[in-house]
Amino acid sequence: MPYRAGLDGYVRTGAGDPRAMLAQARPFWRIEEIAEAVEWMRAYNVAHPDDPVRFAGAPEGQRAPQGRGPGGLAGIERDLAEDVIRWQQHTGDKVVYWGGLAHTVKGDPRTVSPSSPPETHRNAGGYLHERYGSGYVSLGLTFHHGSAPMAVPAPPEESAQATLGRSGLPDAYLWNLRAPSPAAVREWLAAPVRTRLVGPRYDAHGDAAHHLSGGSLADWFDALVHVRAVSPARFL
């Protein structure tokens, strides 16, 4: 998509208006927090000209449309991983792959609902873990309730988010899942789990239907950031 190339140019050189470029993006990109992240990248490059970062998107003409094309959702996950691998091979750079949990967990395979029937297949994170092994570090971002910007209720009792909410831990914390833990915690981390998914098609009236399953937190993540309550994103 042209706006991605434009954002990379802005991050590298300062050329263009990143907010105008983001206005061409998909709705969940058209928010202040994304614009601020892009502007931070530009400021970082100004301060560190010998160690720049870039904004990488799919190469033009090499990405399948974001829909149910050949291979359906499973094909899209494979394409996402191949884009990251191609970029890393081309540049030799370290890469931060920023996406939703359905894409980034080390799913080999994992199941996404509420697709009907639920779809079970390897995701982008599964392919990247296969390629890079421990060099692919999966960081999960979860929350208990709030607004995103639609109201999101407290999670179903069987979800990982509900257990984390009952833990008595701080309202926001980073948890290294590879660090030593009590036996009961290790047992819970290794057990099959459901996590709630809030994505572009999320419907709070059917909250319990929106989940990721088919693995454990220990399978999926190396570290987890959990926030008790989230506030709405600010639209551009």
Side-chain angles (χ1 to χ4, degrees):
M1 298 178 183
Y3 75 87
R4 293 186 178 180
L7 289 172
D8 184 48
Y10 168 78
V11 166
R12 289 186 293 108
T13 70
D17 180 349
R19 292 167 183 265
M21 298 173 204
L22 286 170
Q24 305 172 46
R26 300 177 75 184
F28 52 82
W29 279 66
R30 302 174 198 163
I31 60 175
E32 285 285 345
E33 287 78 4
I34 296 290
E36 289 172 359
V38 172
E39 290 165 349
W40 177 89
M41 293 169 71
R42 176 58 192 156
Y44 177 91
N45 283 350
V46 171
H48 302 84
D50 297 326
D51 183 28
V53 296
R54 295 191 62 179
F55 187 100
E60 293 301 316
Q62 297 185 26
R63 167 63 80 86
Q66 290 291 313
R68 294 177 181 268
L73 294 178
I76 290 173
E77 294 293 335
R78 183 180 60 251
D79 290 342
L80 289 170
E82 289 177 352
D83 285 344
V84 175
I85 292 168
R86 186 182 300 113
W87 178 263
Q88 198 279 326
Q89 287 179 319
H90 174 67
T91 64
D93 292 339
K94 293 181 179 180
V95 175
V96 175
Y97 171 45
W98 184 4
L101 293 185
H103 302 307
T104 63
V105 300
K106 293 183 280 191
D108 197 17
R110 69 8 172 190
T111 299
V112 175
S113 183
S115 56
S116 184
E119 297 209 27
T120 300
H121 48 70
R122 182 180 288 184
N123 70 333
Y127 286 110
L128 293 170
H129 182 242
E130 178 185 51
R131 171 80 180 197
Y132 297 108
S134 61
Y136 178 69
V137 177
S138 174
L139 175 63
L141 304 174
T142 63
F143 68 94
H144 187 271
H145 67 276
S147 181
M150 73 293 286
V152 181
E157 283 300 305
E158 69 273 14
S159 71
Q161 286 91 336
T163 302
L164 291 168
R166 293 191 297 269
S167 66
L169 292 170
D171 288 345
Y173 55 93
L174 169 64
W175 185 7
N176 177 2
L177 273 60
R178 302 296 173 237
S181 299
V185 174
R186 293 198 306 272
E187 182 178 347
W188 178 69
L189 289 174
V193 74
R194 283 187 176 186
T195 66
R196 179 167 60 190
L197 288 179
V198 179
R201 296 179 179 84
Y202 173 76
D203 178 3
H205 297 292
D207 178 79
H210 295 263
H211 58 262
L212 185 72
S213 62
S216 69
L217 295 183
D219 292 333
W220 288 341
F221 304 118
D222 295 289
L224 191 67
V225 175
H226 184 75
V227 178
R228 180 163 182 81
V230 295
S231 57
R234 298 166 292 150
F235 288 100
L236 292 173

